[in-house]
PDB file of all heavy atoms in Angstrom:
ATOM      1  N   ASP A 305      63.378  -7.310  28.023  1.00 91.00           N
ATOM      2  CA  ASP A 305      62.977  -8.510  28.766  1.00 91.00           C
ATOM      3  C   ASP A 305      61.896  -8.202  29.798  1.00 91.00           C
ATOM      4  O   ASP A 305      61.511  -9.075  30.568  1.00 91.00           O
ATOM      5  CB  ASP A 305      64.189  -9.136  29.475  1.00 91.00           C
ATOM      6  CG  ASP A 305      64.930 -10.131  28.578  1.00 91.00           C
ATOM      7  OD1 ASP A 305      64.354 -10.550  27.553  1.00 91.00           O
ATOM      8  OD2 ASP A 305      66.073 -10.486  28.914  1.00 91.00           O
ATOM      9  N   SER A 306      61.415  -6.949  29.810  1.00 91.00           N
ATOM     10  CA  SER A 306      60.419  -6.567  30.814  1.00 91.00           C
ATOM     11  C   SER A 306      58.988  -6.671  30.307  1.00 91.00           C
ATOM     12  O   SER A 306      58.040  -6.474  31.067  1.00 91.00           O
ATOM     13  CB  SER A 306      60.680  -5.138  31.314  1.00 91.00           C
ATOM     14  OG  SER A 306      60.435  -4.187  30.298  1.00 91.00           O
ATOM     15  N   GLY A 307      58.794  -6.975  29.021  1.00 92.00           N
ATOM     16  CA  GLY A 307      57.435  -7.082  28.508  1.00 92.00           C
ATOM     17  C   GLY A 307      57.401  -7.265  27.007  1.00 92.00           C
ATOM     18  O   GLY A 307      58.440  -7.273  26.334  1.00 92.00           O
ATOM     19  N   ILE A 308      56.184  -7.405  26.474  1.00 95.00           N
ATOM     20  CA  ILE A 308      55.963  -7.632  25.050  1.00 95.00           C
ATOM     21  C   ILE A 308      55.251  -6.427  24.455  1.00 95.00           C
ATOM     22  O   ILE A 308      54.292  -5.909  25.027  1.00 95.00           O
ATOM     23  CB  ILE A 308      55.105  -8.899  24.825  1.00 95.00           C
ATOM     24  CG1 ILE A 308      55.835 -10.132  25.368  1.00 95.00           C
ATOM     25  CG2 ILE A 308      54.769  -9.088  23.347  1.00 95.00           C
ATOM     26  CD1 ILE A 308      54.992 -11.388  25.376  1.00 95.00           C
ATOM     27  N   ALA A 309      55.728  -5.970  23.313  1.00 93.00           N
ATOM     28  CA  ALA A 309      55.112  -4.818  22.654  1.00 93.00           C
ATOM     29  C   ALA A 309      53.702  -5.160  22.183  1.00 93.00           C
ATOM     30  O   ALA A 309      53.418  -6.301  21.788  1.00 93.00           O
ATOM     31  CB  ALA A 309      55.974  -4.385  21.470  1.00 93.00           C
ATOM     32  N   ASN A 310      52.818  -4.152  22.198  1.00 93.00           N
ATOM     33  CA  ASN A 310      51.431  -4.406  21.804  1.00 93.00           C
ATOM     34  C   ASN A 310      51.315  -4.875  20.364  1.00 93.00           C
ATOM     35  O   ASN A 310      50.378  -5.592  20.013  1.00 93.00           O
ATOM     36  CB  ASN A 310      50.567  -3.163  22.035  1.00 93.00           C
ATOM     37  CG  ASN A 310      51.117  -1.907  21.378  1.00 93.00           C
ATOM     38  OD1 ASN A 310      52.075  -1.955  20.610  1.00 93.00           O
ATOM     39  ND2 ASN A 310      50.508  -0.779  21.677  1.00 93.00           N
ATOM     40  N   LYS A 311      52.296  -4.502  19.515  1.00 96.00           N
ATOM     41  CA  LYS A 311      52.227  -4.913  18.110  1.00 96.00           C
ATOM     42  C   LYS A 311      52.173  -6.430  17.951  1.00 96.00           C
ATOM     43  O   LYS A 311      51.535  -6.934  17.027  1.00 96.00           O
ATOM     44  CB  LYS A 311      53.414  -4.347  17.321  1.00 96.00           C
ATOM     45  CG  LYS A 311      54.766  -4.933  17.700  1.00 96.00           C
ATOM     46  CD  LYS A 311      55.875  -4.498  16.765  1.00 96.00           C
ATOM     47  CE  LYS A 311      56.259  -3.054  16.917  1.00 96.00           C
ATOM     48  NZ  LYS A 311      56.858  -2.727  18.230  1.00 96.00           N
ATOM     49  N   VAL A 312      52.837  -7.155  18.852  1.00 98.00           N
ATOM     50  CA  VAL A 312      52.890  -8.616  18.733  1.00 98.00           C
ATOM     51  C   VAL A 312      51.487  -9.205  18.884  1.00 98.00           C
ATOM     52  O   VAL A 312      51.048 -10.043  18.087  1.00 98.00           O
ATOM     53  CB  VAL A 312      53.855  -9.217  19.774  1.00 98.00           C
ATOM     54  CG1 VAL A 312      53.817 -10.744  19.724  1.00 98.00           C
ATOM     55  CG2 VAL A 312      55.273  -8.714  19.532  1.00 98.00           C
ATOM     56  N   TYR A 313      50.766  -8.761  19.909  1.00 97.00           N
ATOM     57  CA  TYR A 313      49.391  -9.248  20.102  1.00 97.00           C
ATOM     58  C   TYR A 313      48.482  -8.778  18.965  1.00 97.00           C
ATOM     59  O   TYR A 313      47.550  -9.501  18.562  1.00 97.00           O
ATOM     60  CB  TYR A 313      48.838  -8.741  21.431  1.00 97.00           C
ATOM     61  CG  TYR A 313      49.607  -9.217  22.637  1.00 97.00           C
ATOM     62  CD1 TYR A 313      50.365  -8.322  23.389  1.00 97.00           C
ATOM     63  CD2 TYR A 313      49.567 -10.548  23.037  1.00 97.00           C
ATOM     64  CE1 TYR A 313      51.061  -8.738  24.503  1.00 97.00           C
ATOM     65  CE2 TYR A 313      50.265 -10.977  24.152  1.00 97.00           C
ATOM     66  CZ  TYR A 313      51.016 -10.069  24.887  1.00 97.00           C
ATOM     67  OH  TYR A 313      51.718 -10.490  25.999  1.00 97.00           O
ATOM     68  N   GLN A 314      48.734  -7.592  18.435  1.00 97.00           N
ATOM     69  CA  GLN A 314      47.922  -7.081  17.331  1.00 97.00           C
ATOM     70  C   GLN A 314      48.151  -7.903  16.065  1.00 97.00           C
ATOM     71  O   GLN A 314      47.199  -8.230  15.355  1.00 97.00           O
ATOM     72  CB  GLN A 314      48.247  -5.602  17.091  1.00 97.00           C
ATOM     73  CG  GLN A 314      47.766  -4.695  18.215  1.00 97.00           C
ATOM     74  CD  GLN A 314      48.374  -3.303  18.160  1.00 97.00           C
ATOM     75  OE1 GLN A 314      49.334  -3.051  17.432  1.00 97.00           O
ATOM     76  NE2 GLN A 314      47.831  -2.386  18.938  1.00 97.00           N
ATOM     77  N   TYR A 315      49.410  -8.246  15.767  1.00 97.00           N
ATOM     78  CA  TYR A 315      49.676  -9.144  14.640  1.00 97.00           C
ATOM     79  C   TYR A 315      48.877 -10.443  14.814  1.00 97.00           C
ATOM     80  O   TYR A 315      48.231 -10.933  13.883  1.00 97.00           O
ATOM     81  CB  TYR A 315      51.153  -9.536  14.575  1.00 97.00           C
ATOM     82  CG  TYR A 315      52.176  -8.454  14.337  1.00 97.00           C
ATOM     83  CD1 TYR A 315      53.438  -8.537  14.938  1.00 97.00           C
ATOM     84  CD2 TYR A 315      51.933  -7.374  13.487  1.00 97.00           C
ATOM     85  CE1 TYR A 315      54.417  -7.575  14.716  1.00 97.00           C
ATOM     86  CE2 TYR A 315      52.905  -6.407  13.261  1.00 97.00           C
ATOM     87  CZ  TYR A 315      54.150  -6.510  13.883  1.00 97.00           C
ATOM     88  OH  TYR A 315      55.112  -5.564  13.667  1.00 97.00           O
ATOM     89  N   MET A 316      48.969 -10.986  16.016  1.00 98.00           N
ATOM     90  CA  MET A 316      48.335 -12.284  16.287  1.00 98.00           C
ATOM     91  C   MET A 316      46.827 -12.226  16.084  1.00 98.00           C
ATOM     92  O   MET A 316      46.229 -13.155  15.524  1.00 98.00           O
ATOM     93  CB  MET A 316      48.677 -12.732  17.713  1.00 98.00           C
ATOM     94  CG  MET A 316      50.139 -13.117  17.899  1.00 98.00           C
ATOM     95  SD  MET A 316      50.646 -13.257  19.646  1.00 98.00           S
ATOM     96  CE  MET A 316      49.572 -14.568  20.254  1.00 98.00           C
ATOM     97  N   LEU A 317      46.209 -11.142  16.530  1.00 97.00           N
ATOM     98  CA  LEU A 317      44.757 -11.017  16.408  1.00 97.00           C
ATOM     99  C   LEU A 317      44.313 -11.120  14.953  1.00 97.00           C
ATOM    100  O   LEU A 317      43.254 -11.693  14.656  1.00 97.00           O
ATOM    101  CB  LEU A 317      44.300  -9.685  17.017  1.00 97.00           C
ATOM    102  CG  LEU A 317      42.816  -9.357  16.883  1.00 97.00           C
ATOM    103  CD1 LEU A 317      41.949 -10.405  17.578  1.00 97.00           C
ATOM    104  CD2 LEU A 317      42.521  -7.960  17.447  1.00 97.00           C
ATOM    105  N   PHE A 318      45.121 -10.592  14.039  1.00 96.00           N
ATOM    106  CA  PHE A 318      44.744 -10.607  12.626  1.00 96.00           C
ATOM    107  C   PHE A 318      45.409 -11.739  11.844  1.00 96.00           C
ATOM    108  O   PHE A 318      45.625 -11.643  10.630  1.00 96.00           O
ATOM    109  CB  PHE A 318      45.023  -9.237  12.004  1.00 96.00           C
ATOM    110  CG  PHE A 318      44.118  -8.177  12.567  1.00 96.00           C
ATOM    111  CD1 PHE A 318      44.578  -7.300  13.534  1.00 96.00           C
ATOM    112  CD2 PHE A 318      42.790  -8.114  12.190  1.00 96.00           C
ATOM    113  CE1 PHE A 318      43.735  -6.353  14.090  1.00 96.00           C
ATOM    114  CE2 PHE A 318      41.936  -7.171  12.742  1.00 96.00           C
ATOM    115  CZ  PHE A 318      42.405  -6.285  13.693  1.00 96.00           C
ATOM    116  N   GLU A 319      45.763 -12.796  12.591  1.00 97.00           N
ATOM    117  CA  GLU A 319      46.254 -14.055  11.998  1.00 97.00           C
ATOM    118  C   GLU A 319      47.531 -13.864  11.191  1.00 97.00           C
ATOM    119  O   GLU A 319      47.785 -14.592  10.233  1.00 97.00           O
ATOM    120  CB  GLU A 319      45.162 -14.715  11.142  1.00 97.00           C
ATOM    121  CG  GLU A 319      43.926 -15.101  11.946  1.00 97.00           C
ATOM    122  CD  GLU A 319      42.895 -15.861  11.130  1.00 97.00           C
ATOM    123  OE1 GLU A 319      43.223 -16.959  10.652  1.00 97.00           O
ATOM    124  OE2 GLU A 319      41.777 -15.343  10.957  1.00 97.00           O
ATOM    125  N   THR A 320      48.346 -12.875  11.596  1.00 97.00           N
ATOM    126  CA  THR A 320      49.646 -12.681  10.972  1.00 97.00           C
ATOM    127  C   THR A 320      50.692 -13.422  11.805  1.00 97.00           C
ATOM    128  O   THR A 320      50.900 -13.074  12.966  1.00 97.00           O
ATOM    129  CB  THR A 320      50.015 -11.189  10.923  1.00 97.00           C
ATOM    130  OG1 THR A 320      48.941 -10.453  10.323  1.00 97.00           O
ATOM    131  CG2 THR A 320      51.287 -10.966  10.123  1.00 97.00           C
ATOM    132  N   PRO A 321      51.328 -14.466  11.263  1.00 98.00           N
ATOM    133  CA  PRO A 321      52.346 -15.174  12.054  1.00 98.00           C
ATOM    134  C   PRO A 321      53.471 -14.217  12.425  1.00 98.00           C
ATOM    135  O   PRO A 321      53.838 -13.346  11.638  1.00 98.00           O
ATOM    136  CB  PRO A 321      52.835 -16.272  11.105  1.00 98.00           C
ATOM    137  CG  PRO A 321      52.454 -15.806   9.739  1.00 98.00           C
ATOM    138  CD  PRO A 321      51.222 -14.987   9.892  1.00 98.00           C
ATOM    139  N   VAL A 322      53.994 -14.367  13.625  1.00 98.00           N
ATOM    140  CA  VAL A 322      55.002 -13.424  14.106  1.00 98.00           C
ATOM    141  C   VAL A 322      56.400 -14.033  14.065  1.00 98.00           C
ATOM    142  O   VAL A 322      56.580 -15.227  14.280  1.00 98.00           O
ATOM    143  CB  VAL A 322      54.674 -12.936  15.536  1.00 98.00           C
ATOM    144  CG1 VAL A 322      53.393 -12.132  15.543  1.00 98.00           C
ATOM    145  CG2 VAL A 322      54.568 -14.089  16.514  1.00 98.00           C
ATOM    146  N   LEU A 323      57.367 -13.171  13.783  1.00 98.00           N
ATOM    147  CA  LEU A 323      58.781 -13.551  13.836  1.00 98.00           C
ATOM    148  C   LEU A 323      59.424 -12.596  14.827  1.00 98.00           C
ATOM    149  O   LEU A 323      59.515 -11.395  14.572  1.00 98.00           O
ATOM    150  CB  LEU A 323      59.427 -13.431  12.454  1.00 98.00           C
ATOM    151  CG  LEU A 323      60.922 -13.776  12.367  1.00 98.00           C
ATOM    152  CD1 LEU A 323      61.205 -15.171  12.920  1.00 98.00           C
ATOM    153  CD2 LEU A 323      61.412 -13.658  10.923  1.00 98.00           C
ATOM    154  N   VAL A 324      59.831 -13.126  15.964  1.00 98.00           N
ATOM    155  CA  VAL A 324      60.310 -12.289  17.066  1.00 98.00           C
ATOM    156  C   VAL A 324      61.713 -12.710  17.481  1.00 98.00           C
ATOM    157  O   VAL A 324      62.131 -13.861  17.280  1.00 98.00           O
ATOM    158  CB  VAL A 324      59.360 -12.366  18.281  1.00 98.00           C
ATOM    159  CG1 VAL A 324      57.950 -11.957  17.896  1.00 98.00           C
ATOM    160  CG2 VAL A 324      59.353 -13.772  18.899  1.00 98.00           C
ATOM    161  N   SER A 325      62.432 -11.778  18.094  1.00 98.00           N
ATOM    162  CA  SER A 325      63.727 -12.105  18.668  1.00 98.00           C
ATOM    163  C   SER A 325      63.535 -12.828  20.003  1.00 98.00           C
ATOM    164  O   SER A 325      62.431 -12.909  20.536  1.00 98.00           O
ATOM    165  CB  SER A 325      64.548 -10.828  18.873  1.00 98.00           C
ATOM    166  OG  SER A 325      63.885  -9.951  19.769  1.00 98.00           O
ATOM    167  N   ASP A 326      64.634 -13.334  20.554  1.00 97.00           N
ATOM    168  CA  ASP A 326      64.552 -14.202  21.724  1.00 97.00           C
ATOM    169  C   ASP A 326      64.578 -13.448  23.056  1.00 97.00           C
ATOM    170  O   ASP A 326      65.084 -13.962  24.056  1.00 97.00           O
ATOM    171  CB  ASP A 326      65.679 -15.249  21.695  1.00 97.00           C
ATOM    172  CG  ASP A 326      67.059 -14.613  21.609  1.00 97.00           C
ATOM    173  OD1 ASP A 326      67.156 -13.398  21.376  1.00 97.00           O
ATOM    174  OD2 ASP A 326      68.057 -15.353  21.757  1.00 97.00           O
ATOM    175  N   CYS A 327      64.004 -12.248  23.098  1.00 95.00           N
ATOM    176  CA  CYS A 327      63.754 -11.611  24.393  1.00 95.00           C
ATOM    177  C   CYS A 327      62.813 -12.527  25.167  1.00 95.00           C
ATOM    178  O   CYS A 327      61.865 -13.086  24.588  1.00 95.00           O
ATOM    179  CB  CYS A 327      63.116 -10.243  24.204  1.00 95.00           C
ATOM    180  SG  CYS A 327      64.173  -9.081  23.315  1.00 95.00           S
ATOM    181  N   THR A 328      63.071 -12.702  26.447  1.00 93.00           N
ATOM    182  CA  THR A 328      62.394 -13.751  27.229  1.00 93.00           C
ATOM    183  C   THR A 328      60.873 -13.750  27.115  1.00 93.00           C
ATOM    184  O   THR A 328      60.275 -14.799  26.820  1.00 93.00           O
ATOM    185  CB  THR A 328      62.822 -13.665  28.700  1.00 93.00           C
ATOM    186  OG1 THR A 328      64.241 -13.791  28.779  1.00 93.00           O
ATOM    187  CG2 THR A 328      62.175 -14.774  29.529  1.00 93.00           C
ATOM    188  N   PRO A 329      60.172 -12.627  27.313  1.00 94.00           N
ATOM    189  CA  PRO A 329      58.706 -12.678  27.238  1.00 94.00           C
ATOM    190  C   PRO A 329      58.198 -13.064  25.854  1.00 94.00           C
ATOM    191  O   PRO A 329      57.214 -13.802  25.739  1.00 94.00           O
ATOM    192  CB  PRO A 329      58.280 -11.252  27.611  1.00 94.00           C
ATOM    193  CG  PRO A 329      59.445 -10.658  28.319  1.00 94.00           C
ATOM    194  CD  PRO A 329      60.648 -11.278  27.696  1.00 94.00           C
ATOM    195  N   GLN A 330      58.871 -12.582  24.795  1.00 96.00           N
ATOM    196  CA  GLN A 330      58.455 -12.939  23.431  1.00 96.00           C
ATOM    197  C   GLN A 330      58.653 -14.426  23.185  1.00 96.00           C
ATOM    198  O   GLN A 330      57.782 -15.109  22.640  1.00 96.00           O
ATOM    199  CB  GLN A 330      59.267 -12.147  22.400  1.00 96.00           C
ATOM    200  CG  GLN A 330      59.027 -10.650  22.420  1.00 96.00           C
ATOM    201  CD  GLN A 330      59.628  -9.927  21.228  1.00 96.00           C
ATOM    202  OE1 GLN A 330      59.064  -8.962  20.736  1.00 96.00           O
ATOM    203  NE2 GLN A 330      60.775 -10.366  20.737  1.00 96.00           N
TER     204      GLN A 330
END
Side-chain angles (χ1 to χ4, degrees):
D305 272 344
S306 68
I308 298 172
N310 53 8
K311 68 172 71 65
V312 175
Y313 298 111
Q314 291 166 347
Y315 297 146
M316 290 166 61
L317 176 61
F318 293 101
E319 298 185 62
T320 308
V322 295
L323 179 55
V324 303
S325 61
D326 57 350
C327 297
T328 302
Q330 295 191 145

